[in-house]
Amino acid sequence: MVESQQSRHLTHEPAGSENEDSVKHQQTYADGEKPVTDVEISSTASTKTPQTGLHRGLTQRYISFIALGGVIGSGLFIGSGTALSTGPGSALVAYSVVSVIIYFTMTSLGELATYLPIPGSFNAYGSRFVDPAFGFALSWNYWLNWVSTVANEAGAVAIPISYWLPSVHFAVWGAALMSVVFVINAATVRGYGEAEFWFALVKILAIVMFIVVAAAVASGALGGHKYGAELWHYKEAPFVGGFGGALNTFIQAGFSMQGSELVGVVAAESKAPAKLIPRATRQIIIRLALFFVLTIFLMGLVVPYDDPRLINEDSDASISSPFTLVFLQAGIAPAAHIMNAVLVTSSVSACSSGLYAACRTVHVMATQGHAPAFLGRTTRRGVPLFALIFCTLFTLGLWAFNFVGQGIVFVFLSGISGVAGYVAWASICVVHIRFRLAWKKQGRDLSELRYRAPFYPFGPVFCFVLICVVVFGQAYPSFENGFDSVTFFSSFIELPLFAGFWAAWKWWRKTKVVSLDAVDLDTGARGGFTIEEETEMLDRSHAKGFRARTARVLSAIIG
């Protein structure tokens, strides 16, 4: 069968369909679930993903920076001030615990994505390893997570720009930001990766500079005052508000740090998943410790938790960032302008990554019959354009609520996105456990897995329990000092939505939990490569020599 290039324009038919030697796999799920169309795995698997038409154009450089750049946004640069207002101890504990959660989550996802680098990542795994209804709910949950994040960033971008141009309405900057990130995502996946690389580099350099300056301020080398640990004993510090205040910080920390799981999402568009995904997974703990935990620790040493500029919505936006406060205390006059530029860049980057994740998620849902079919079409360049337009319009709808009140919308969307992120992480743990149980049930050898999660089964089980404690623990601060409706609904509205999606799809499609014997462990395995091809690829790409080793060390530190 020969098809012209034009016939594949705006379609989700498998790339490489003209190859008569393609090996076809029919993928099916539980009773009542609509079967997925034939998946073709051919010699073109290294450049195009099966079934969806997405292109494999992301290299190690892109994936490393996407894994980090997608995490760093206004949640860290601005939202960390909210976390710090509960005390330096609460903030440090929250960010440290969330780092542990992310580490165990990423090791689980790294094992899955290395072996099965398929479009949809853990959302697709949910349908395959647990229940099609579970995968359906997980996909829509993850999509809602990212459109909420993008809407939040689109509203937050006006905060730093208003420092320079206070008379311009915030709607102008939100619309401009959405236009820019739409163009970035409408380009090729390689173009998106290149843009995210440079955005992430700016944010990384800003954080490194902050760490150096904050350490100098804390020691008295800059600013003329040696802080030491005095702010940890200041007034109600280190834990302001006690247990409830500490718990409330976890949602903000979760919102600030979500995005690491993008490694799984981009696996389907990476050139060599067996090489790139394990490397990005191993590096994530170093980055979390350096760019989040250390940053929050130093911030707590030099910025008082009750500084009115942290929580005063009427103060200048750039001054509201703890990062800017540290530079000002160091005596660096243009600090506000420097951080303004970084804040704008971080919003563009976080919006771009969020829109990428949202449109890829809904695109894959469409190919699986979980969303309208037209959203599954791609351009010749492998861009899911209709899914991108749909996500952009929905995001603009959420962003429009900023006309009601920017501060309330920021808190509400941060809460929804934070809890949705926790739900996604918990689901990854469940999927990983089911994958391993099916692997054992079907008599498979663990040596077939190129990357195996350390600490299994402790890692995913501990992570799941910890997430449940964090999420359901939000009920305590919601009622501690009278009923706080914003905190309560932003923390819990996501849970009935997830349950509703699951129950509705299960009732409509009459789906069943997939038995361990029936779990499909082969379709899409290794991205279409055989074990021999995968081994040869890894051996060929293994660089040797001093320069290559130095490059790998630097990559582990900065991406």
Side-chain angles (χ1 to χ4, degrees):
M1 178 177 65
V2 180
E3 296 180 350
S4 67
Q5 183 183 27
Q6 187 175 16
S7 67
R8 291 196 304 272
H9 179 57
L10 285 177
T11 178
H12 60 267
E13 290 181 10
S17 57
E18 61 270 26
N19 187 347
E20 295 180 358
D21 296 326
S22 297
V23 181
K24 297 184 178 181
H25 299 273
Q26 180 70 29
Q27 180 182 353
T28 59
Y29 293 108
D31 294 341
E33 175 71 1
K34 180 180 178 180
V36 179
T37 55
D38 287 351
V39 177
E40 297 184 4
I41 300 175
S42 66
S43 59
T44 62
S46 62
T47 59
K48 294 185 179 182
T49 61
Q51 182 186 348
T52 63
L54 301 176
H55 288 201
R56 295 189 185 276
L58 296 177
T59 62
Q60 174 65 41
R61 179 167 65 99
Y62 298 143
I63 290 178
S64 293
F65 276 78
I66 288 172
L68 181 59
V71 180
I72 302 173
S74 65
L76 177 63
F77 287 114
I78 297 177
S80 55
T82 303
L84 188 60
S85 67
T86 62
S90 298
L92 183 62
V93 168
Y95 277 82
S96 299
V97 170
V98 174
S99 294
V100 172
I101 290 175
I102 293 177
Y103 171 71
F104 285 127
T105 302
M106 286 301 301
T107 56
S108 292
L109 182 58
E111 178 176 308
L112 293 165
T114 301
Y115 180 71
L116 288 171
I118 60 176
S121 186
F122 55 89
N123 303 311
Y125 303 151
S127 292
R128 185 183 290 199
F129 302 142
V130 183
D131 182 347
F134 180 77
F136 175 82
L138 184 55
S139 297
W140 281 108
N141 168 81
Y142 196 61
W143 174 81
L144 180 61
N145 171 31
W146 280 114
V147 293
S148 298
T149 299
V150 175
N152 209 5
E153 295 287 349
V157 72
I159 298 177
I161 298 180
S162 65
Y163 181 78
W164 292 320
L165 302 168
S167 60
V168 180
H169 197 275
F170 73 87
V172 174
W173 307 121
L177 174 64
M178 290 305 302
S179 299
V180 170
V181 298
F182 179 87
V183 170
I184 291 173
N185 278 268
T188 61
V189 66
R190 184 179 179 85
Y192 159 77
E194 189 68 34
E196 189 57 34
F197 168 81
W198 292 106
F199 286 143
L201 184 61
V202 170
K203 293 186 286 188
I204 291 169
L205 293 176
I207 294 177
V208 170
M209 183 168 60
F210 168 83
I211 291 173
V212 173
V213 172
V217 172
S219 65
L222 290 176
H225 178 74
K226 184 177 180 179
Y227 285 91
E230 69 179 47
L231 293 182
W232 276 64
H233 306 287
Y234 171 71
K235 294 184 179 179
E236 298 180 52
F239 298 99
V240 181
F243 180 69
L247 270 179
N248 204 24
T249 308
F250 278 88
I251 295 299
Q252 178 60 45
F255 169 72
S256 299
M257 301 177 73
Q258 65 177 294
S260 299
E261 72 284 347
L262 282 173
V263 168
V265 176
V266 303
E269 297 179 79
S270 63
K271 288 187 174 181
K275 170 190 174 185
L276 307 184
I277 303 304
R279 181 179 297 178
T281 301
R282 295 186 186 102
Q283 293 171 356
I284 193 66
I285 190 63
I286 300 175
R287 294 166 182 165
L288 289 173
L290 178 63
F291 294 112
F292 283 92
V293 178
L294 180 58
T295 296
I296 293 297
F297 172 71
L298 291 172
M299 193 181 295
L301 290 179
V302 298
V303 180
Y305 74 85
D306 61 349
D307 191 311
R309 294 170 294 183
L310 288 177
I311 56 178
N312 184 4
E313 295 180 359
D314 296 326
S315 64
D316 287 331
S318 61
I319 307 298
S320 298
S321 170
F323 285 76
T324 305
L325 295 180
V326 172
F327 283 108
L328 291 176
Q329 290 177 219
I332 302 176
H337 299 289
I338 295 173
M339 286 312 303
N340 261 352
V342 174
L343 290 174
V344 172
T345 301
S346 72
S347 290
V348 175
S349 173
C351 268
S352 180
S353 295
L355 195 58
Y356 171 90
C359 74
R360 260 53 178 190
T361 299
V362 77
H363 161 74
V364 173
M365 284 194 290
T367 66
Q368 296 175 337
H370 292 170
F374 76 94
L375 297 175
R377 299 178 182 177
T378 59
T379 66
R380 291 190 186 98
R381 296 176 297 178
V383 177
L385 185 60
F386 289 143
L388 177 61
I389 294 172
F390 170 74
C391 293
T392 302
L393 293 177
F394 194 91
T395 298
L396 288 172
L398 290 177
W399 166 79
F401 282 102
N402 281 283
F403 286 96
V404 177
Q406 284 183 282
I408 295 176
V409 171
F410 182 85
V411 172
F412 195 77
L413 290 179
S414 297
I416 292 177
S417 182
V419 174
Y422 279 120
V423 171
W425 295 339
S427 300
I428 291 172
C429 297
V430 172
V431 166
H432 184 213
I433 293 171
R434 288 278 301 178
F435 169 75
R436 279 294 193 98
L437 291 176
W439 193 271
K440 182 178 180 180
K441 182 73 172 179
Q442 296 182 25
R444 306 289 284 267
D445 193 333
L446 287 176
S447 63
E448 294 183 49
L449 300 176
R450 181 67 61 180
Y451 172 80
R452 293 192 294 275
F455 309 113
Y456 179 89
F458 170 79
V461 173
F462 174 76
C463 183
F464 180 83
V465 172
L466 196 57
I467 290 173
C468 290
V469 172
V470 169
V471 172
F472 289 105
Q474 296 308 305
Y476 183 83
S478 299
F479 291 93
E480 184 180 17
N481 298 311
F483 181 63
D484 185 343
S485 60
V486 174
T487 300
F488 180 83
F489 286 108
S490 63
S491 298
F492 290 104
I493 193 174
E494 174 60 25
L495 299 181
L497 284 176
F498 181 83
F501 279 126
W502 189 349
W505 194 255
K506 197 170 188 64
W507 172 78
W508 187 24
R509 291 289 187 175
K510 303 297 186 293
T511 65
K512 299 178 181 178
V513 175
V514 182
S515 68
L516 296 178
D517 290 319
V519 167
D520 180 6
L521 296 173
D522 297 309
T523 303
R526 305 180 190 86
F529 296 102
T530 64
I531 296 179
E532 292 75 17
E533 290 172 337
E534 188 180 69
T535 302
E536 180 183 356
M537 176 183 63
L538 292 174
D539 291 341
R540 187 171 59 248
S541 64
H542 183 69
K544 298 179 180 180
F546 174 78
R547 291 176 61 186
R549 288 194 297 269
T550 302
R552 287 199 294 272
V553 171
L554 291 175
S555 176
I557 297 175
I558 66 170

